[in-house]
Amino acid sequence: WYHRPMGGKEIKSSLDGMYQLLSEAYKGNWQYRWQDTPYLEEAVKSGKVESVVGHVWGTMEFWFQLRRLCPKLDSLVDTTEVYEILLNHDLGETNAGDIPLYRKVHGAKDNKEGERSDLEQISGNLPETQQELLTWFDEFEQEVEKIDRLEVLVAKWMDNLQGNHFALTFGRNLPEYSEPINGILQMRFVAYTNRLLGVLEGRNEAEAVNEVRQVAQHHADIIKATGIDFDTSNLRI
C-alpha cells in the first residue's frame, strides 16, 4: 500500500497519524518487563531492567545475527517482514505493560484483548497501517500449533530466545526455580522450536531443519549449564 500515490492532504494526515503512533509507542521505554519474577528481582532492583522497547530491539538484533548463522532458514522467509513483525509485536504493551511468564505459569491470565484494543487505538489515524499491525498481532498471538507462516514462527522464536537469554544473563539462583522455569520453557521454547521444525520438515527443508536443531541444542545446553533442571525429552532435537 505504501507505493500508492498519495495527495498532499493524505500525506499530511498519514504523517499526523504516524507521529501520534510514535508518541504512544515512546511509552514502551518506561514499561518494564520481568516484574514479579523472583530470579530477576536482584537485577531489577539494581537497575538492570528491560523495557518493552529494549526487548523489541533485542529480538531484532537476535534475528540480525542468527540469520547470518542460518542462511538456509533466512532464505526461506521474507526477512524484512520478520523484522517488521518483531518491531511491532509488543506495541500493544506500551500502555498496560507485559505480564511476565513467571506469573502466567502461576495462573495469571493474558491481557491480549486489552493489548489488541490499545494497538487499535494508537494506530487509529493510520487505517492501512492499522490493518497490517492487527493482522500481525492476530497471527502472532494465536496458538502456536495453528501457525504455518515461517515469518511469524521465526518472529515468535526470536521473541522467546531473546527473552530466555535475558533471564539467563541477569537471573540469579536459577536452579532454585527449576520447576516454574521448566514450565515456561515447555510452554514457549519447546513448543515454538517443535512447531518451527515441524513446518520445515513438512516442506522437506532438511538444511534449515539442521540449522534450527543446532541453535536449539546450543540454547538447551546453555540453559542446563546454569543448573536449571530442564526436561528436554519433548524437544525434537
Side-chain angles (χ1 to χ4, degrees), residues 5 23 35 54-55 65 68 101 105 109 120 161 166 173 182:
S23 295
Q35 303 299 320
H55 163 64
Q65 300 295 342
R68 286 157 171 76
L101 287 172
V105 299
K109 294 183 179 180
E120 191 170 13
L161 292 181
F166 188 92
N173 305 315
N182 185 63

Side-chain angles (χ1 to χ4, degrees), residues 59-104:
T59 63
M60 296 178 72
E61 182 66 26
F62 226 97
W63 179 235
F64 178 84
Q65 300 295 342
L66 195 66
R67 61 186 289 251
R68 286 157 171 76
L69 301 178
C70 300
K72 185 58 180 179
L73 180 63
D74 182 39
S75 73
L76 296 175
V77 298
D78 179 343
T79 204
T80 298
E81 186 176 11
V82 174
Y83 281 129
E84 290 180 342
I85 293 171
L86 290 172
L87 176 65
N88 294 287
H89 79 281
D90 276 343
L91 267 179
E93 293 184 358
T94 55
N95 289 326
D98 176 59
I99 299 176
L101 287 172
Y102 184 86
R103 288 179 56 195
K104 290 178 183 177

Side-chain angles (χ1 to χ4, degrees), residues 10 21 32 34 87 97 117 134 142 214 227:
E10 284 184 296
L21 184 147
Y32 298 116
W34 308 105
L87 176 65
S117 178
L134 292 175
Q142 66 182 318
Q214 289 188 67

Side-chain angles (χ1 to χ4, degrees), residues 104-184:
K104 290 178 183 177
V105 299
H106 287 87
K109 294 183 179 180
D110 277 323
N111 182 37
K112 297 309 176 187
E113 289 186 9
E115 289 178 18
R116 193 183 193 282
S117 178
D118 285 346
L119 178 59
E120 191 170 13
Q121 183 270 319
I122 67 176
S123 60
N125 286 342
L126 290 168
E128 292 172 304
T129 299
Q130 181 189 66
Q131 187 54 57
E132 193 168 28
L133 293 175
L134 292 175
T135 296
W136 281 334
F137 182 92
D138 292 339
E139 286 186 300
F140 195 87
E141 297 301 339
Q142 66 182 318
E143 294 179 11
V144 69
E145 295 82 6
K146 297 179 180 179
I147 301 176
D148 294 314
R149 282 216 305 130
L150 283 176
E151 287 79 9
V152 180
L153 281 171
V154 167
K156 288 187 77 70
W157 205 42
M158 295 305 97
D159 179 47
N160 183 246
L161 292 181
Q162 188 277 332
N164 289 351
H165 182 250
F166 188 92
L168 292 171
T169 302
F170 297 106
R172 296 293 179 267
N173 305 315
L174 295 173
E176 295 180 21
Y177 300 96
S178 284
E179 184 175 350
I181 290 174
N182 185 63
I184 291 168

Side-chain angles (χ1 to χ4, degrees), residues 226-237:
T226 67
I228 295 170
D229 185 15
F230 175 27
D231 178 8
T232 58
S233 61
N234 294 321
L235 186 60
R236 296 174 52 197
I237 55 175

